[in-house]
Each structure stands twice: as C-alpha cells, then as structure tokens.
C-alpha cells in the first residue's frame, strides 16, 4: 500500500515550535520514524511538506490514481481552506487527518476542520504518535 503523507504550513519548523504542544521532533525525525513504522506494517510512505497552499493542492491532485491512502496534516489550513477540501474531495482512497496538538482544546477557531467530513479517521492531540496511529489504521484497512 502506497501512503502519501502531506504536511502543511509551518510543519517544517517542528522542533523549534512549542515542544509541549507539538512534541520535540523535527520534521526530518518525524518522517524517519514514519518510514520505519510503515516498513514494519509493510506500507510504503512518501512524505511531503510545503508552506504553499497551491503546491499542497497540486500534490493532492497528483495523488489521484497514484496513492492508496493519504495522511494529511494541513496545519492551519485545516480550519479555513475550502480549496484543500475540494481537492481532497476528488480522492477515492481513505484519508486520515492528523494534528499533533489537541485542536479541540485550543482556540475556538482551531476547533473546526473544514476537511473533517472527508476523513476516514481523525487523530488529534497525540503528538508524533498520531501519525503512527494513522498508519496502523490504514494498514488495518488494507488487511
């Protein structure tokens, strides 16, 4: 199973952001752990990160017909980008939304995800372990 992991805005500065909120791993360390966990589950992952909403949407378009599942962490775009929603809507594979912090317990504007209705699963507030949970969920769907 080919899993595309799309990390959005500001996730490139993991490790420098609030460690209690986001964990202490850098994006590179997070991606290394994801690849290791994916291998254990006999999955293949491709990780991408951008601070450009248009590029993020382009990668979603590229996933159509190319990925068997997608894990998304759009960051702040989750809360207002209907363009990302509309791009994800064309995918016919399971999509899992991951947030490192517990967005349900943060500022009011963070509590709403405009992509939530498209998700097979949402994992929030579990730090880097949330990605591992998302991979395990997808591996279980494949088996």
């Amino acid at each position: 199973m080919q899993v595309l992991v799309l990390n959005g805005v500001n996730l490139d500065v993991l490790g420098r952001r609030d460690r209690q909120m986001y964990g202490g791993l850098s994006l590179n360390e997070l991606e290394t752990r994801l690849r290791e966990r994916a291998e254990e589950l006999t999955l293949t992952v491709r990780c991408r990160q951008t601070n450009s909403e248009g590029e993020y949407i382009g990668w979603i378009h590229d996933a159509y017909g190319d990925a068997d599942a997608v894990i998304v962490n759009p960051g702040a775009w989750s809360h207002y980008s209907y363009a990302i929603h509309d791009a994800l809507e064309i995918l016919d594979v399971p999509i899992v939304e991951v947030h490192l912090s517990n967005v349900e317990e943060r500022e009011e504007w963070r509590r709403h995800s405009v992509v939530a209705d498209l998700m097979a699963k949402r994992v929030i507030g579990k730090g880097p372990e949330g990605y591992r949970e998302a991979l395990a969920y997808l591996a279980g769907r494949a088996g």
Side-chain angles (χ1 to χ4, degrees):
M1 172 184 267
Q2 177 71 37
V3 179
L4 178 62
V5 179
L6 296 177
N7 284 302
V9 65
N10 293 318
L11 288 161
D12 59 322
V13 292
L14 288 178
R16 291 185 278 164
R17 293 182 79 184
D18 183 339
R19 290 175 177 266
Q20 288 189 303
M21 183 84 58
Y22 300 104
L25 295 179
S26 70
L27 181 61
N28 188 34
E29 292 167 326
L30 175 64
E31 290 176 349
T32 297
R33 288 188 181 187
L34 274 172
R35 287 184 188 94
E36 290 169 354
R37 180 61 177 146
E39 189 174 315
E40 292 169 7
L41 296 168
T42 65
L43 303 173
T44 303
V45 297
R46 181 173 182 202
C47 300
R48 302 188 92 172
Q49 186 281 327
T50 185
N51 291 314
S52 167
E53 186 177 11
E55 185 171 40
Y56 196 86
I57 290 166
W59 291 341
I60 294 168
H61 292 170
D62 293 345
Y64 188 81
D66 191 45
D68 300 308
V70 179
I71 296 173
V72 296
N73 182 345
W77 294 326
S78 306
H79 313 297
Y80 66 86
S81 179
Y82 289 98
I84 289 174
H85 174 281
D86 291 350
L88 289 169
E89 192 171 38
I90 68 168
L91 295 179
D92 57 358
V93 299
I95 309 168
V96 179
E97 180 181 9
V98 173
H99 291 281
L100 296 164
S101 68
N102 187 345
V103 292
E104 301 291 330
E105 295 179 357
R106 295 188 62 194
E107 303 92 338
E108 186 64 37
W109 64 270
R110 292 187 196 268
R111 296 177 188 176
H112 176 70
S113 168
V114 299
V115 299
D117 65 309
L118 303 174
M119 299 299 122
K121 181 174 180 65
R122 295 182 76 218
V123 183
I124 60 169
K126 296 186 177 182
E129 289 301 310
Y131 287 89
R132 291 175 58 88
E133 184 175 322
L135 286 173
Y137 170 79
L138 293 169
R141 286 184 60 116

